């Protein structure tokens, strides 16, 4: 548990502090794989498999593809507004925390089958699931912003 926690926190810190987008992508891969390891420790192999296949395999591949398409033009002046980004991130975090608190005691035992996971996901955890989909949509828009070439210069 502690090794996975250190990898997860170290990877997350490297993602947000790295100056190189490629290094940030590799750190994100380590973070996502450590999260899958934590799911395995919680006896949730289905969630671990979804984490590896969907997030580590799919989302990270999309992000790296956007970085490759953007090429070397990722340096220079960027459109950044850190205060609104921090405020929006804090609002999403607060909404997720409130939804998880309302959903119950936090134990999601009995997720051995896909049907049980689906019932839990679209039952008690519907609001956090939808908020995470909005967060992923924002990540896609961010990837498009990174990959966009600015031809006005």
């Amino acid at each position: 548990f502690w090794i996975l926690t250190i990898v997860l926190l170290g990877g997350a810190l490297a993602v947000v502090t790295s100056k190189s987008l490629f290094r940030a992508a590799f750190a994100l891969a380590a973070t996502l794989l450590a999260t899958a390891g934590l799911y395995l420790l919680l006896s949730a192999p289905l969630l671990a498999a979804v984490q590896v296949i969907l997030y580590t395999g799919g989302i990270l591949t999309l992000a790296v593809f956007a970085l490759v398409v953007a090429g070397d033009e990722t340096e220079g002046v960027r459109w950044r507004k850190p205060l609104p980004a921090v405020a929006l991130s804090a609002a999403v975090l607060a909404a997720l925390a409130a939804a998880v608190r309302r959903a119950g005691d936090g134990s999601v035992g009995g997720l051995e089958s896909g049907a049980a996971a689906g019932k839990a996901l679209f039952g008690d955890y519907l609001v956090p699931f939808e908020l995470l989909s909005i967060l992923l949509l924002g990540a896609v828009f961010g990837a498009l912003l990174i990959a966009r070439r600015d031809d006005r210069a």
Side-chain angles (χ1 to χ4, degrees):
F1 171 78
W2 291 109
I3 293 171
L4 287 173
T5 303
I6 290 169
V7 169
L8 186 120
L9 292 175
L13 186 65
V15 167
V16 297
T17 60
S18 178
K19 302 232 185 253
S20 168
L21 294 176
F22 285 104
R23 287 186 182 148
F26 282 115
L28 180 62
T31 303
L32 293 173
L33 288 173
T35 304
L38 288 175
Y39 286 145
L40 285 175
L41 289 178
L42 290 171
S43 299
L46 177 68
L47 291 177
V50 167
Q51 177 75 20
V52 170
I53 292 169
L54 182 65
Y55 293 110
T56 308
I59 302 298
L60 192 63
T61 302
L62 178 69
V64 170
F65 179 73
L67 292 175
V68 169
V69 169
D72 291 336
E73 296 181 20
T74 57
E75 301 298 322
V77 177
R78 295 296 224 169
W79 176 79
R80 294 180 189 231
K81 298 192 179 210
L83 293 179
V86 168
L88 183 61
S89 298
V92 169
L93 178 65
L96 281 171
V100 169
R101 247 185 272 123
R102 279 193 309 269
D105 62 354
S107 63
V108 289
L111 293 183
E112 290 83 22
S113 70
K119 286 180 183 176
L121 188 61
F122 294 110
D124 293 336
Y125 294 98
L126 181 63
V127 173
F129 179 74
E130 292 300 325
L131 287 172
L132 285 175
S133 69
I134 292 170
L135 185 66
L136 284 174
L137 182 64
V140 169
F141 285 140
L144 289 173
L145 183 65
I146 289 172
R148 179 178 67 108
R149 295 182 190 250
D150 197 9
D151 293 333
R152 290 177 273 158

